[in-house]
Amino acid sequence: MGFVNSNTYREIFHQPEMWRQTYSIISERKEEISNFLSNYYNNDVTVVFTGAGTSSYVGNILQYLMAGYGITNYKSVATTDLTTHADTIFLKNKKYILVSLARSGNSPESIAAVDIADSICGDNISHIFITCNAEGALAKREPKSNVLSLILPDATNDKGLAMTSSFSSMLLMAMLVFDLNNVEENRAGVDKLSKKAEYMLNRYSEDIQKIAAIDFERAVFLGSGEKKGIAEECHLKLQELTDGKVICLFDSFLGFRHGPKAALNEKTLIIYLFADDEKTLKYEIDLVVQINQQIKPAGQIYVAERKIEQTEVKYDLEMVPETYENTKFDVILYVLVGQLLGLFKNVELKLDPDSPSASGKIARVVEGVTIY
């Protein structure tokens, strides 16, 4: 049980408290954030979410939520793409808000993305920095009127290699920023979200530890819409924390049919992140039934807001929150399955949860990148 003393274990399990603290930061700075958005956002402005690796997946989720916040122009572009192809992202005569998401704020591309965007856009760009490290290069940049710097609680600056509480807290903070008009009612939503997560972490950890002991060599995470971005994050968590010994894929349910399904075999664990709406769920269940008619996977898990009534398929784990009413933040809960699978498969493989990369192929902050 030495893994319970690891940073990674602690960082996964303290997420509910980090979310409450994240809400408090937004609540306390409501007026400042509101003034910034009033000054720099209108319907002619494009919001660009950017980050590297896990941080970029936050943007991939947010782009499915922005319309619900009344944001009309938006895109998600990784800093790793922006650094090499900024001139295809930014047009000199257009206005932008670049939302930089970063755990450390020290990745070379995080700084380069801001500098390159400024060089192309000049006065037509403003910035929101969402970072977990008050001492990072991004947070330490010279204050400017067109920059809103939001620092998450220090404990979200995960010490483990794999981003866990940093990911979920950055996602929540961005959701709260762009839903600022509802900041007071969102207090109750964040509290319900945190209680759901506490239940799920305590209720399902032992079950997921048992599934992690299954002999599987591949894992596939499937999600539709915003949950595809969660599937993307989950696939990286399991692959990082097992040092690549488990090869992982992600896709949408419908997209998976178009070729990627060839990766399935009897050594594959499949994780379904089911949709809340009935129409999308029908597409998803159809794929699950088809898969089970074609192969016998090593194991199958689903995560959903409620128990799925289905007789054709036997699941190894049904991961459903306790009965709390739904919140607009519930998509965040779905990442817990990837985090827990990564942690417990890491333990099963006798790796170090905080430093799983025995060869040093990957590091907490990416090294060796020269910006040209």
Side-chain angles (χ1 to χ4, degrees), residues 220-265:
V220 174
F221 294 86
L222 299 175
S224 305
E226 67 274 16
K227 293 185 182 75
K228 181 182 177 183
I230 295 286
E232 187 174 19
E233 168 60 6
C234 286
H235 106 282
L236 181 61
K237 283 294 89 71
L238 180 54
Q239 190 159 282
E240 280 182 318
L241 283 166
T242 60
D243 198 20
K245 292 178 173 59
V246 177
I247 298 300
C248 302
L249 300 175
F250 77 94
D251 211 325
S252 67
F253 282 79
L254 284 176
F256 192 62
R257 292 177 183 270
H258 292 263
K261 193 152 66 79
L264 294 180
N265 62 21

Side-chain angles (χ1 to χ4, degrees), residues 246-292:
V246 177
I247 298 300
C248 302
L249 300 175
F250 77 94
D251 211 325
S252 67
F253 282 79
L254 284 176
F256 192 62
R257 292 177 183 270
H258 292 263
K261 193 152 66 79
L264 294 180
N265 62 21
E266 294 188 352
K267 291 278 192 175
T268 305
L269 177 69
I270 311 176
I271 302 89
Y272 308 107
L273 310 181
F274 282 140
D276 305 333
D277 69 283
E278 291 297 330
K279 181 179 178 181
T280 305
L281 183 61
K282 288 177 181 178
Y283 289 110
E284 296 175 347
I285 294 297
D286 284 350
L287 175 64
V288 176
V289 171
Q290 184 187 71
I291 286 171
N292 280 265

Side-chain angles (χ1 to χ4, degrees), residues 103-324:
R103 171 171 63 174
S104 71
N106 288 325
S107 296
E109 300 97 333
S110 295
I111 307 306
V114 173
D115 290 338
I116 294 168
D118 279 344
S119 70
I120 294 173
C121 301
D123 294 337
N124 283 334
I125 194 163
S126 58
H127 298 271
I128 299 176
F129 299 156
I130 297 178
T131 180
C132 306
N133 182 14
E135 301 303 316
L138 207 59
K140 289 288 192 179
R141 288 177 73 92
E142 179 186 354
K144 294 181 179 179
S145 60
N146 70 333
V147 175
L148 174 66
S149 184
L150 298 172
I151 313 298
L152 284 150
D154 182 63
T156 66
N157 186 16
D158 299 326
K159 303 300 185 290
L161 179 141
M163 290 174 63
T164 52
S165 71
S166 52
F167 167 82
S168 62
S169 299
M170 285 194 292
L171 175 55
L172 176 62
M173 178 171 272
M175 293 169 78
L176 290 168
V177 165
F178 287 100
D179 194 31
L180 200 65
N181 290 336
N182 297 307
V183 67
E184 293 306 324
E185 73 178 56
N186 285 340
R187 180 192 302 274
V190 172
D191 188 56
K192 288 172 186 171
L193 172 78
S194 299
K195 288 176 179 175
K196 283 184 175 184
E198 287 164 348
Y199 171 82
M200 293 176 78
L201 287 166
N202 291 318
R203 167 65 182 82
Y204 295 112
S205 288
E206 187 175 331
D207 294 327
I208 291 179
Q209 190 168 9
K210 290 176 182 175
I211 289 172
I214 294 173
D215 180 22
F216 62 90
E217 298 171 352
R218 304 177 185 181
V220 174
F221 294 86
L222 299 175
S224 305
E226 67 274 16
K227 293 185 182 75
K228 181 182 177 183
I230 295 286
E232 187 174 19
E233 168 60 6
C234 286
H235 106 282
L236 181 61
K237 283 294 89 71
L238 180 54
Q239 190 159 282
E240 280 182 318
L241 283 166
T242 60
D243 198 20
K245 292 178 173 59
V246 177
I247 298 300
C248 302
L249 300 175
F250 77 94
D251 211 325
S252 67
F253 282 79
L254 284 176
F256 192 62
R257 292 177 183 270
H258 292 263
K261 193 152 66 79
L264 294 180
N265 62 21
E266 294 188 352
K267 291 278 192 175
T268 305
L269 177 69
I270 311 176
I271 302 89
Y272 308 107
L273 310 181
F274 282 140
D276 305 333
D277 69 283
E278 291 297 330
K279 181 179 178 181
T280 305
L281 183 61
K282 288 177 181 178
Y283 289 110
E284 296 175 347
I285 294 297
D286 284 350
L287 175 64
V288 176
V289 171
Q290 184 187 71
I291 286 171
N292 280 265
Q293 290 170 344
Q294 294 172 337
I295 67 159
K296 179 176 172 50
Q300 296 179 93
I301 300 171
Y302 78 72
V303 187
E305 275 294 316
R306 64 192 185 281
K307 184 176 173 61
I308 303 298
E309 300 300 334
Q310 187 183 4
T311 57
E312 308 99 312
V313 178
K314 178 174 171 50
Y315 297 96
D316 297 86
L317 177 61
E318 301 172 322
M319 197 170 174
V320 180
E322 200 175 17
T323 7
Y324 289 104

